[in-house]
Amino acid sequence: MEQLNKVENGLFLAGAVLMVIGSGANIFMQDWAPWVFAVGALAFVLMQLKQKYTGTNLAIHRLRTMIVISDFLFLATAFLMFANKSNFLGLDILMYVQYIHNNWVVTLLVAALLQLYATHRISSELEKEA
């Protein structure tokens, strides 16, 4: 795996912290929470996509695909957080409650579980390679 330099690693960690702050603040209905989460998710996703695997291990390539899917789910979570604050999509109230209202939690949970599994498995696969 390609390693990040110190600045990129700091941006990666800052993005993760901002995502935690944004999701926690969104639970308490703070108006600024989706912005903080979105900035954090963007930094986190960009730095994670910057890391590449150039080896031939097929399992690691599949795990990297899982990470990319979870990155898009983090961005979808940010979108749903903004949509949760106001019905800017113009849906009627029943569709809004059914499909948008507080469903950002579901995408965040799925993304976090995929990240957790994939990063654990990638580290163990990289140890096998070494």
Side-chain angles (χ1 to χ4, degrees):
M1 292 287 289
E2 192 175 304
Q3 295 297 318
L4 299 174
N5 63 32
K6 286 187 178 190
V7 173
E8 293 168 341
N9 197 25
L11 191 58
F12 179 73
L13 291 175
V17 169
L18 287 175
M19 286 170 54
V20 169
I21 292 170
S23 60
N26 202 23
I27 291 172
F28 296 111
M29 298 184 194
Q30 300 295 319
D31 290 333
W32 48 267
W35 292 101
V36 172
F37 184 87
V39 169
L42 194 60
F44 184 83
V45 166
L46 288 176
M47 291 302 108
Q48 199 161 43
L49 291 177
K50 188 171 172 45
Q51 293 178 321
K52 302 256 189 259
Y53 176 69
T54 56
T56 58
N57 189 337
L58 191 59
I60 294 177
H61 282 288
R62 281 185 271 185
L63 291 166
R64 281 288 302 155
T65 303
M66 286 177 66
I67 285 180
V68 170
I69 290 169
S70 72
D71 288 340
F72 285 114
L73 285 173
F74 281 134
L75 296 176
T77 300
F79 175 77
L80 287 173
M81 280 183 176
F82 283 113
N84 193 45
K85 288 294 174 195
S86 66
N87 189 6
F88 68 84
L89 297 173
L91 300 172
D92 67 348
I93 191 68
L94 186 61
M95 287 184 77
Y96 170 76
V97 169
Q98 187 174 6
Y99 295 114
I100 303 295
H101 187 68
N102 288 337
N103 283 341
W104 62 269
V105 176
V106 175
T107 57
L108 181 61
L109 177 65
V110 172
L113 289 175
L114 283 174
Q115 282 281 330
L116 185 66
Y117 174 75
T119 53
H120 174 70
R121 289 272 302 143
I122 285 176
S123 66
S124 66
E125 288 291 326
L126 286 174
E127 285 177 6
K128 288 180 189 176
E129 273 188 0

